[in-house]
């Protein structure tokens, strides 16, 4: 009875050993095609496009007509194309990016945020069922803007985007056209400089019609960062009432009080922070953090070790701008050998007592996973990253800045209270002086004997009373002024904290 399973396994092994290797590879290529195969399909499907057009990225989606036409959306530097083949019913759409008038995020059935509408002067195309709608929209918008501005991508820039979308294993060699192999800069996921204006496109809203109405717009005297945001998503973009040097010390100094507090709130443990060390080759400064994060996984491990490498760019200038890149590698999670995350902190000075913090992130792939696996990776990874930075921006960073502002205004309030106390003491001394003068004048001085002496005494009393009354009025007026200054200082402190950090202010108020 126990021989049958073994016999079945043996026959299976024999069958597999005689199965043609090329046949197995072809089936694998169908399930997980390389970029080279995608590009060849792109050129076969859209033969009327110029030969210079090369596929940059493609997405699985559906075109909404009378029925949903499932297919793939292809993006090149100047064209947006769609192809669907359902039971030999083919649908092909080619749109020149310069002809696009609007590009908007939409919701399927007004509920599901997985659609993008592309409009021209003559047509509107509603594409839905995107696995990562925001990321797809961001890439479309970048290429659309480049086409409108007549800014063609250099080979290095084009292949950088391709590697970001398909990973490092493209199936290409240096003999394939203008292929540029990935460098360390590509692998680290650094964003191209000419795409820096698109950092606001990571939410579900449309482009702001008037950027001056946004509280996150750049101010006139604000220092411009020498590095753009990363390609993925922008998590924090806020102005804080603190100098850029103090903000840098709060986040990246040897004093890790802020990090320890943040990690304790997130239930991260085993924090170890090494000293900053300068790299003699690049001139940048690096440090390594290691810690253990908690994982909400009912089936797998509950914790995972993390190694984070922070790099302070050598172009960072005290008092003006700091840029710190962070590469985070997490072990002990599913598909850990496929990807890692990169983060960029841009700290820029607005004035001596105000600065801006921008934090962006991206997911980089060591090798290209299947579409289903990639969607799963991005969904879970973005969820964890956004939750971390939302907690950091709304709670810990705000509370730390409020604490520093509170200390500053507390010193001012103490000084004003000391002055007020001095004025009140002056009032008490003035009252005591008046009482002493009356008792002295009535007990020790001889009584006047004539009308002239009485007139002289009355004149002296009148002068003394006038002097004391003027002194009292002066002290009372200065005391009232000090009280007004104390009230104004308290109101200004509360108003500044509320305007800068309304959410944290409400938490503290509660």
């Amino acid at each position: 009875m126990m021989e049958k399973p073994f016999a079945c396994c043996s026959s299976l092994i024999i069958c597999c050993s005689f199965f043609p290797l090329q046949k197995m590879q072809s089936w694998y290529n169908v399930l997980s095609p390389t970029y080279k195969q995608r590009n060849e399909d792109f050129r076969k499907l859209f033969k009327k496009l110029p030969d210079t057009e090369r596929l940059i990225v493609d997405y699985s989606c559906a075109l909404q007509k009378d029925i949903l036409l499932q297919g793939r959306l292809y993006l090149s530097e100047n064209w947006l194309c769609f192809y669907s083949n359902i039971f030999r019913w083919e649908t092909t759409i080619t749109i020149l990016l310069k002809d696009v008038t609007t590009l908007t995020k939409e919701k399927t059935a007004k509920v599901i945020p997985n659609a993008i509408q592309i409009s021209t002067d003559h047509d509107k195309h509603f594409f839905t069922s995107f696995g990562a709608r925001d990321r797809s929209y961001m890439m479309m918008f970048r290429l659309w803007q480049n086409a409108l501005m007549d800014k063609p991508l250099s080979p290095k820039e084009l292949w950088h985007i391709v590697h970001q979308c398909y990973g490092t294993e493209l199936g290409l060699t240096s003999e394939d056209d203008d292929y540029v192999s990935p460098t360390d800069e590509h692998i680290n996921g650094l964003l191209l400089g000419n795409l820096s204006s698109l950092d606001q496109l990571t939410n579900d809203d449309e482009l702001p019609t008037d950027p001056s109405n946004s509280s996150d717009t750049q101010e006139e005297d604000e220092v411009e960062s020498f590095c753009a945001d990363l390609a993925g998503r922008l998590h924090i973009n806020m102005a804080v009432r603190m100098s850029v040097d103090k903000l840098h010390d709060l986040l990246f100094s040897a004093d890790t009080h802020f990090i320890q507090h943040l990690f304790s709130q997130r239930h991260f443990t085993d924090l170890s922070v090494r000293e900053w060390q300068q790299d003699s080759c690049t001139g940048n400064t690096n440090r390594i953090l290691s810690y253990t994060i908690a994982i909400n996984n009912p089936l797998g491990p509950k914790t995972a070790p993390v190694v984070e490498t922070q790099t302070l760019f050598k172009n960072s200038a005290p008092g003006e701008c700091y840029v710190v890149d962070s590469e985070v590698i997490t072990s002990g999670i599913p598909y850990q050998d496929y990807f890692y995350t990169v983060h960029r902190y841009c700290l820029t000075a607005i004035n001596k007592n105000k600065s801006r913090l921008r934090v962006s992130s991206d997911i980089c792939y060591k090798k290209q996973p299947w579409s289903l696996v990639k969607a799963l990776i991005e969904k879970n990874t973005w969820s964890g990253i956004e939750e971390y930075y939302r907690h950091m921006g709304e709670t810990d960073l705000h509370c730390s800045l409020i604490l520093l502002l509170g200390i500053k205004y507390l010193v001012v309030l103490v000084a004003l209270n000391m002055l007020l106390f001095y004025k009140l003491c002056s009032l008490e001394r003035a009252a005591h002086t008046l009482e002493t003068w009356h008792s002295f004048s009535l007990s020790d001085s001889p009584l006047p004997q004539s009308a002239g002496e009485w007139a002289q005494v009355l004149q002296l009393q009148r002068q003394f009373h006038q002097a004391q009354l003027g002194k009292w009025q002066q002290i009372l007026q200065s005391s009232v002024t000090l009280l007004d200054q104390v009230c104004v200082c308290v109101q200004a402190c509360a108003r500044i904290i509320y305007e800068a950090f309304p959410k944290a202010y409400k938490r503290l108020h509660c």
Side-chain angles (χ1 to χ4, degrees), residues 333-341 363-366 377 381:
I333 59 174
Y335 308 105
Q336 63 180 20
D337 55 336
Y338 278 81
F339 74 102
Y340 61 94
T341 61
I363 302 174
C364 299
Y365 291 94
K366 302 176 185 177
I377 290 174
T381 303

Side-chain angles (χ1 to χ4, degrees), residues 51 97 109 156 169 182 204 237 270:
D51 295 335
L97 286 175
K156 182 178 179 181
E169 298 181 3
D204 288 337
N237 178 19
D270 304 328

